[in-house]
Each structure stands twice: as structure tokens, then as C-alpha cells.
Amino acid sequence: MRLMKSCAIAFSLYSRIPMPQFQWKKEEMKYVLCFFPWIGAVIGLCVAGWAWLCRTFQIGSTAYVLIGTALPILLTGGFHVDGFMDTMDALHSYQSRERKLEILKDSHIGAFSVIMLLLYYLIYLAAFSGIQSEKALVMVGMGFVLSRCLSGIGVVTLRPAKEDGLLRSCSDSAEKKGVLAALIVQLVLCCAGMLAWSWRMGILVLAGAAGSFLYYRCRSYKEFGGITGDTAGYFLLLCEAAVVIAAALGGKC
């Protein structure tokens, strides 16, 4: 029952999928991150389902690309997009580390966040338009799981930049060894599934995801002294774009 509640809390926190309402307790919060990749699995299934509808009912390519890109935003409520925008504002401020951390907490939207978000989705749309084969589509679907496995591992292993905030509270409340073990198991299964589905495309996708994680760690440590909830959202979008681009390129090989 406790794990079921942890799962419901994870979906309530990181998605807009309706869940039963109850009082959240500390014991249940400890294992929330174990179920973070499950949200990615639901998103992947929805994107695959949309692709199937497009093929079955001969829906145009424009609708396929635009709605396929919008589905992760609709299902998460843009939760991670907000972190991406805040991080873009901070990174492009060229201020001191302390000032950048203040900008991350600022709820106002800056010009650079809008510009970079537009650029991000132009690249994502272009890459997603190349996801035509079943192999590439399944790889993208598993990519939503992969990105959340890596994000969760980052939360419990990387240095936090602040002593407060949602990420710090999630990290502190997590049963770190158990959560890390659960996330690693899910990561290994996801990676194995990708390589079994298409080893050539799988290698490209995994290399892209690993590269985005390494870049995220180095950039966050350099600019902020660690990671925050906002930078975690930034990483998730970065990783998802890397997966789609790699899958699109792999489909052409």
C-alpha cells in the first residue's frame, strides 16, 4: 500500500494525470523517485498511440509532429519546461553564481528563456518529423523512461546547489540507497531493451543520453555549484531532445 501511494504521489508531482487524493506522509515520499520513470512510460505509450492513430486514420504529418511534440507537455503540465526556462534565464544572465541562483527562483520570464525555448522546440520538431519507422518510434518512447531514470539518479547522487527547494526536499526524503538501486535496475532494463530492439540505434540514443547527462553535470557544477529542481527540468528536456535527434539519425542509417 505504501508503494502504491508513493507511485500516486509521483504521478501527482510530475504529471497532470489524475490520481487519488490523500495526505502525503514522509514515509511515502521516500520512494517517490522510484516511480518517476513510470511517468515516462505512460508518455511513451501515449506518443506511440498517437502515431498508431495517425497511421490508421491517415492523419497528416503536420498534426503527427505537432501533437506528438505537445503530448509530453500536456501530460506533465509543462512542469519541466518551467525549469528549462528558468535555467536558460540564469545561464544567459552572465552574473555571479549567487545571482544565477536567485534568478532560478525568480518566477518572472526573461527574454532568453523564451528565445531558447523557441529554439529548443524548433530543433525538437525537426528531429521528431524524422521519427517515421516503428524502430525509431519505440526508441523515442523508451527514451522518456531513460531520461527520467537518469534524472532521478542525478537527484540522489549529484551535489545540490541549494539547501532548500523541491529538489533538496525530495533528495532528503528519499531512501537514497533503495531509490538509487531501483532507478539503476530500471535504467539497465531500459538500456537492454533499447539495444535488443535495435543495437545500432540503441548505441546512438544511449550515447546521446549519456552525453547530455555528462554535460548537465559539468555545466550545473560550473555555473551553479550543483543541481536544483530547475536544472533537473532543464536536463530532462535536454536528454529527451538528444534521444529524438539520435533516433532520427539512427533511422536514416
Side-chain angles (χ1 to χ4, degrees):
M1 178 62 72
R2 181 178 297 170
L3 290 179
M4 291 178 63
K5 287 185 175 181
S6 296
C7 181
I9 293 171
F11 276 83
S12 297
L13 270 175
Y14 302 116
S15 81
R16 288 296 177 266
I17 300 170
M19 286 287 128
Q21 298 299 308
F22 53 88
Q23 184 179 0
W24 296 358
K25 296 180 180 178
K26 186 176 180 180
E27 287 299 312
E28 293 149 0
M29 291 291 294
K30 287 181 178 180
Y31 302 100
V32 164
L33 283 174
C34 295
F35 301 96
F36 191 31
W38 293 28
I39 300 165
V42 172
I43 294 171
L45 287 172
C46 289
V47 172
W50 170 242
W52 177 83
L53 286 174
C54 289
R55 292 174 184 174
T56 303
F57 297 101
Q58 297 183 337
I59 297 172
S61 59
T62 301
Y64 162 70
V65 172
L66 292 178
I67 295 178
T69 299
L71 277 172
I73 306 173
L74 293 172
L75 291 168
T76 61
F79 183 82
H80 309 294
V81 176
D82 176 69
F84 177 88
M85 295 181 75
D86 287 341
T87 302
M88 287 296 100
D89 270 338
L91 290 176
H92 289 87
S93 69
Y94 303 105
Q95 301 292 320
S96 65
R97 179 178 292 179
E98 291 72 22
R99 178 57 184 150
K100 287 175 183 175
L101 289 172
E102 290 176 6
I103 292 172
L104 285 177
K105 294 191 293 183
D106 192 341
S107 59
H108 294 87
I109 297 174
F112 277 111
S113 65
V114 176
I115 293 168
M116 297 308 295
L117 186 68
L118 177 61
L119 178 61
Y120 173 87
Y121 276 111
L122 285 174
I123 295 171
Y124 190 99
L125 283 165
F128 194 80
S129 67
I131 306 299
Q132 300 294 334
S133 68
E134 184 179 342
K135 278 188 177 181
L137 183 63
V138 171
M139 201 65 66
V140 169
M142 288 192 285
F144 292 111
V145 178
L146 175 67
S147 63
R148 283 161 176 78
C149 287
L150 291 173
S151 180
I153 289 171
V155 168
V156 296
T157 61
L158 298 182
R159 182 173 68 231
K162 300 185 295 182
E163 295 300 320
D164 55 1
L166 180 60
L167 180 136
R168 185 62 190 238
S169 62
C170 288
S171 176
D172 288 343
S173 62
E175 188 65 41
K176 291 192 176 183
K177 289 184 179 179
V179 169
L180 182 59
L183 289 171
I184 289 175
V185 169
Q186 293 177 78
L187 176 65
V188 170
L189 290 174
C190 185
C191 293
M194 286 181 161
L195 293 172
W197 183 251
S198 173
W199 68 268
R200 184 177 291 118
M201 193 181 298
I203 289 172
L204 282 175
V205 168
L206 293 175
S212 66
F213 186 82
L214 181 61
Y215 172 79
Y216 162 61
R217 181 195 180 281
C218 294
R219 191 78 190 272
S220 295
Y221 277 36
K222 178 182 177 182
E223 302 287 350
F224 307 112
I227 66 169
T228 70
D230 286 318
T231 64
Y234 160 76
F235 164 71
L236 204 66
L237 263 65
L238 195 69
C239 187
E240 288 175 359
V243 167
V244 174
I245 292 168
L249 291 174
K252 305 299 181 183
C253 296

